[in-house]
């Protein structure tokens, strides 16, 4: 069996141990005589899987009791709409920070529902920076502040959590959740598509503070778009993405066995440093992002000889290093090094990069 090191931005690699466990349990989960995919979501077997996953996630992230954890569908993209639908209440404005393509999409969706105040906009740097904490001047009357802590395409992240005072902070953590410990209490809502650091595509995680779950929305808001519906029904108002929920639970167990998010953060920092050092110490590769705003998870880089891009990608694939091509909107390369990318994978990539540079210099 040959497994490649897959540097995709998502769906991304899953830990081999998790896949092996799922494989061992695929025909007969724990003596039930069936796979998790075939079980009733309301049966006692699946209920135990669901509860264990939530309680492990609560421990890993130290989620306080006054937050609900929802296992939903629709991707992070649905949250771009669910956030304004549920959080605006009697307000008509929300603050947004624009730092890349994903916050831009969240803003476009927010504009369907309210007046969007763009508090910061880093498009003049091609989204290679984030605003400084001191430069942020929030509007006290906003229903919430939305930001994207890690922008997956350009590979830029905030080295701090914005202080929004009493206004709830909403974070699209799709490409950074579980990469390190975070203080959940600083947020009103955290949401993430699963396909990077949580599990397979199709599951969307929402962590929301109780008081933000409104019971009082306009009649026209569909049940499925109300956080209250999902919170009141334990994410089982309709059939949840059962297999994704189960696999996420296996990923949470894997993280716990590894030593939790502190241990994961140390590994992630080492991986990112190795790759950025390789880029910075070479005259052959470049990364445009402001060093203190560089993402630990998504590392874009360009070759100083772009005419060699196709050869670089073909030879990388030959060496078992796949999906290194940059996002179509920025070109070049991008190595996504989420939690499940082992350190050996990053070492293999930097060895390949150095060898390629010396062959083509
Ligand atoms: N936000 C961020 C930061 C992302 O990276 C992505 C997906 N790449 C999305 C939102 C969209 O997520 P989904 O495809 O789950 O809707």
């Amino acid at each position: 069996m040959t497994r490649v090191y897959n540097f995709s931005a998502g769906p991304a690699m899953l830990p081999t141990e998790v896949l092996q466990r799922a494989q061992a349990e695929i025909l007969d989960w724990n003596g039930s005589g069936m796979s998790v995919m075939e079980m009733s979501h309301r049966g006692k077997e699946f209920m135990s899987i669901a509860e264990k996953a939530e309680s492990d996630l609560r421990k890993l992230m130290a989620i306080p009791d006054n937050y609900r954890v929802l296992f939903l569908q629709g991707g992070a993209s649905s949250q771009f709409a669910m956030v304004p639908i549920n959080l605006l209440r009697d307000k008509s404005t929300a603050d947004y920070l624009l730092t890349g393509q994903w916050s831009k999409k969240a803003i476009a969706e927010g504009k369907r529902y309210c007046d969007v105040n763009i508090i910061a906009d880093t498009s003049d740097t091609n989204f290679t920076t984030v605003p400084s904490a001191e430069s942020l001047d929030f509007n006290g009357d906003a229903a919430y502040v939305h930001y994207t802590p890690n922008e997956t395409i350009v590979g830029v992240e905030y080295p701090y959590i914005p202080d929004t005072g009493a206004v709830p902070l909403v974070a699209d953590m799709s490409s950074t959740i579980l990469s390190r410990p975070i203080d959940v209490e600083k947020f009103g809502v955290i949401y993430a598509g699963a396909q990077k650091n949580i599990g397979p595509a199709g599951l969307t995680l929402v962590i929301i503070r109780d008081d933000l779950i409104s019971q009082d929305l306009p009649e026209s808001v569909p049940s499925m778009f109300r956080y209250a519906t999902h919170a009141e029904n334990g994410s089982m108002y309709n059939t949840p993405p059962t297999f994704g929920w189960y696999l996420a639970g296996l990923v949470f167990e894997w993280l716990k066995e590894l030593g939790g998010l502190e241990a994961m953060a140390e590994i992630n920092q080492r991986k990112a440093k190795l790759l950025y050092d390789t880029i910075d110490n070479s005259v052959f590769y470049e990364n445009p992002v402001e060093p203190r705003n560089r993402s630990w998870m998504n590392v874009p880089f360009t070759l100083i000889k772009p005419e060699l891009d196709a050869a670089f990608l073909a030879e990388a694939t030959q060496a078992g290093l796949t999906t290194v091509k940059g996002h179509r909107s920025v070109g070049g390369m991008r190595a996504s090094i989420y939690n499940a990318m082992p350190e050996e994978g990053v070492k293999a990539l930097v060895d390949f990069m150095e060898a390629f540079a010396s062959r083509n210099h």
Side-chain angles (χ1 to χ4, degrees):
M1 181 192 67
T2 316
R3 288 215 6 114
V4 295
Y5 292 121
N6 174 9
F7 293 89
S8 168
M13 284 183 86
L14 285 162
T16 304
E17 297 87 332
V18 164
L19 295 175
Q20 284 168 332
R21 167 103 179 259
Q23 181 183 41
E25 296 177 344
I26 197 96
L27 291 178
D28 177 11
W29 183 83
N30 203 23
S32 65
M34 60 178 114
S35 79
V36 175
M37 284 179 278
E38 300 161 302
M39 283 174 187
S40 162
H41 54 294
R42 302 192 193 281
K44 67 175 187 335
E45 286 97 348
F46 188 75
M47 291 301 277
S48 75
I49 290 170
E51 281 162 19
K52 170 95 171 43
E54 178 172 337
S55 98
D56 282 347
L57 180 69
R58 284 183 172 277
K59 281 183 211 130
L60 274 172
M61 292 183 71
I63 300 174
D65 287 345
N66 62 326
Y67 285 74
R68 301 273 70 76
V69 178
L70 308 177
F71 292 81
L72 307 183
Q73 301 178 62
S77 302
S78 292
Q79 296 308 310
F80 296 164
M82 271 184 89
V83 165
I85 288 172
N86 286 267
L87 266 56
L88 280 168
R89 299 193 185 184
D90 55 347
K91 307 241 177 183
S92 57
T93 67
D95 287 355
Y96 279 76
L97 308 187
L98 172 56
T99 52
Q101 295 308 328
W102 293 110
S103 44
K104 199 180 214 168
K105 287 202 164 165
I107 287 168
E109 209 63 12
K111 281 184 176 165
R112 294 180 189 276
Y113 301 97
C114 65
D115 294 328
V116 165
N117 278 312
I118 299 182
I119 295 293
D121 174 352
T122 57
S123 53
D124 59 336
T125 69
N126 284 328
F127 297 130
T128 58
T129 57
V130 299
S132 68
E134 309 75 58
S135 69
L136 299 176
D137 188 10
F138 296 112
N139 158 18
D141 203 35
Y144 58 88
V145 176
H146 180 283
Y147 86 123
T148 311
N150 184 89
E151 288 276 3
T152 321
I153 294 176
V154 172
V156 69
E157 73 174 35
Y158 288 72
Y160 64 92
I161 298 173
D163 179 1
T164 57
V167 178
L169 179 61
V170 177
D172 171 3
M173 286 204 190
S174 295
S175 48
T176 186
I177 194 164
L178 297 172
S179 64
R180 73 204 77 182
I182 52 142
D183 186 354
V184 174
E185 238 151 358
K186 297 222 161 98
F187 299 87
V189 180
I190 292 169
Y191 65 85
Q195 62 273 22
K196 302 160 194 298
N197 258 348
I198 299 170
L203 169 72
T204 310
L205 199 67
V206 176
I207 302 169
I208 179 167
R209 210 173 62 210
D210 279 338
D211 62 290
L212 298 174
I213 302 176
S214 177
Q215 304 292 341
D216 191 22
L217 297 178
E219 252 326 286
S220 60
V221 174
S223 305
M224 284 296 287
F225 278 79
R226 296 167 181 253
Y227 288 129
T229 303
H230 300 291
E232 282 160 15
N233 291 282
S235 306
M236 296 203 190
Y237 171 74
N238 73 324
T239 315
T242 49
F243 195 71
W245 194 331
Y246 154 73
L247 265 190
L250 297 185
V251 170
F252 303 154
E253 277 186 42
W254 173 79
L255 280 167
K256 274 176 53 192
E257 276 161 31
L258 203 89
L261 300 188
E262 286 83 6
M264 193 70 252
E266 279 179 31
I267 298 169
N268 284 332
Q269 263 178 309
R270 280 202 301 271
K271 291 189 305 195
K273 183 171 185 327
L274 178 61
L275 191 43
Y276 286 118
D277 283 352
T278 303
I279 295 165
D280 291 344
N281 294 334
S282 136
V283 290
F284 197 83
Y285 303 105
E286 284 171 346
N287 167 288
V289 178
E290 166 64 35
R292 63 177 182 278
N293 302 150
R294 282 172 166 178
S295 166
W296 294 9
M297 297 281 104
N298 310 100
V299 184
F301 59 92
T302 50
L303 276 56
I304 53 154
K305 296 181 180 170
E307 64 277 16
L308 294 178
D309 281 4
F312 181 93
L313 287 166
E315 288 177 39
T317 304
Q318 276 285 312
L321 308 164
T322 69
T323 337
V324 190
K325 194 169 186 208
H327 190 269
R328 58 190 181 279
S329 64
V330 292
M333 309 297 153
R334 173 179 52 175
S336 293
I337 51 174
Y338 298 116
N339 288 350
M341 172 59 67
E343 286 191 273
E344 302 76 60
V346 180
K347 285 187 190 130
L349 176 63
V350 302
D351 287 348
F352 170 79
M353 287 167 68
E354 281 165 357
F356 186 88
S358 62
R359 273 200 305 280
N360 293 285
H361 208 51

